[in-house]
Amino acid sequence: MIIRSSDAFNLPESEVTDEGFFRKRRQIVKAMGILPIAGLLPAPVEAVCESPLLNSDIGKANSLHQISHYNNYYEFSTNKQAVALLAKEMSLRPWTLEISGEVEKPEIIDIDNLLQQQEIVERIYRFRCVEGWSMVIPWNGIQLCKLLTRIKPTSRAKYVQFISHVDESSMIGLSLTGLDFPYMEALRLDEAMHPLTLLATGLYGKDLPAQNGAPLRLVVPWKYGFKGPKSIVKIILSEQKPETSWNKISPTEYGFYANVNPRVSHPRWSQRKENKIGELKKKKTLMFNGYEQQVAGLYRGMDLEKNF
Ligand SMILES: Nc1nc2c(c(=O)[nH]1)N[C@H]1C(S)=C(S)[C@@H](COP(=O)(O)O)O[C@H]1N2
Ligand SMILES: [Mo]
């Protein structure tokens, strides 16, 4: 079942997690002091972005501990359990985000200004890694379309590239894999403008842990997890399709689109099922990770086996 709402937290109580966050969310929202509470604040200036359709049958959210202690962040380590400890060494302030390329109003924004200016929404999304594991994650973040609307893409802009931070002093994994850093990912402009696409700034109403990509990390819930670069420092709009890290290292395994698709296998394994972290029984992977109704239109007429 799908419901239309800008508020992800109108889920049945049965889906509530042990974090107790959902009961406490009103206090958190007040404490953050930045969410518009009906009637108290004027409507946001960039009201152009639609509210997305949100799925209600999403499953129980994983715990904060699960989400923050099973991570892929190759700049630190390929050991998912080791990332949390190693990422503590990365300095998160000062932090600036640079938006450039095919935009009318390029900007260099201080992260704390950005967090104050933009509306922070709460979104519980399914998360599916291309390796075959999954979670349900309650993110907080900024709708990317709000930011893109503000910097005004030019008529030539077709793609949006995201570039992660490189910190030689704390990232001890930089030379341990074949992956080139900085980590780079990209979306088509219409994918980036989709109301589900989020720049995550938090988890469970708290600051985003470093290991999950603090202070700013892309979340595209209908795509495999590698399409969500962490600790973003640059966003570049372009006319030509930009390079992306995993596609560059292994184009036959990692396509540009990387839409979750149980019918298209990875060359080395099937994508039909997934292992939700914390559950014993595997579950079926859903087309577009369960967001088919919202995003299938973006790919109408495309051969999804070729454009994987
Ligand atoms: N900079 C950077 N971003 C990254 C990665 C990475 O290694 N470096 N790994 C990707 C992969 S493969 C996944 S599955 C998700 C994992 O996000 P999580 O640790 O928050 O679950 O981050 C993605 N973003
Ligand atoms: Mo992944």
Side-chain angles (χ1 to χ4, degrees), residues 67-90 170-173 209-214 217 230-231:
I67 297 166
S68 58
H69 289 81
Y70 190 83
N71 302 102
N72 276 336
Y73 202 156
Y74 278 21
E75 288 89 329
F76 292 100
S77 173
T78 54
N79 177 331
K80 292 179 176 43
Q81 279 84 16
V83 171
L85 190 64
L86 296 171
K88 281 196 187 9
E89 301 301 317
M90 171 171 57
S170 66
M171 293 175 165
I172 61 170
Q211 59 268 33
N212 294 95
R217 175 256 175 89
K230 297 181 168 182
S231 309

Side-chain angles (χ1 to χ4, degrees), residues 67 70-75 127-131 133 135 137 139 164-165 179 181 183 211-213 217 224-231 246:
I67 297 166
Y70 190 83
N71 302 102
N72 276 336
Y73 202 156
Y74 278 21
E75 288 89 329
F127 182 91
R128 170 65 155 79
C129 173
V130 73
E131 297 163 340
W133 55 270
M135 296 202 204
I137 305 185
W139 302 102
S164 291
H165 182 48
L179 218 54
F181 295 107
Y183 191 101
Q211 59 268 33
N212 294 95
R217 175 256 175 89
Y224 291 118
F226 72 86
K227 292 298 289 184
K230 297 181 168 182
S231 309
W246 282 102

Side-chain angles (χ1 to χ4, degrees), residues 161-224:
Q161 187 186 35
F162 304 84
I163 302 187
S164 291
H165 182 48
V166 174
D167 174 28
E168 306 272 348
S169 64
S170 66
M171 293 175 165
I172 61 170
L174 289 173
S175 59
L176 298 183
T177 63
L179 218 54
D180 272 348
F181 295 107
Y183 191 101
M184 294 185 295
E185 260 309 331
L187 300 173
R188 249 175 24 197
L189 182 59
D190 59 340
E191 298 176 319
M193 291 294 291
H194 193 280
L196 287 174
T197 305
L198 200 67
L199 280 175
T201 58
L203 276 181
Y204 275 111
K206 303 178 181 138
D207 285 349
L208 197 60
Q211 59 268 33
N212 294 95
L216 200 65
R217 175 256 175 89
L218 183 68
V219 177
V220 192
W222 68 94
K223 292 179 181 282
Y224 291 118

Side-chain angles (χ1 to χ4, degrees), residues 2-10 51-54 123:
I2 287 181
I3 46 174
R4 178 176 278 281
S5 170
S6 59
D7 182 356
F9 290 86
N10 44 12
S51 295
L53 290 165
L54 296 170
R123 295 278 173 76

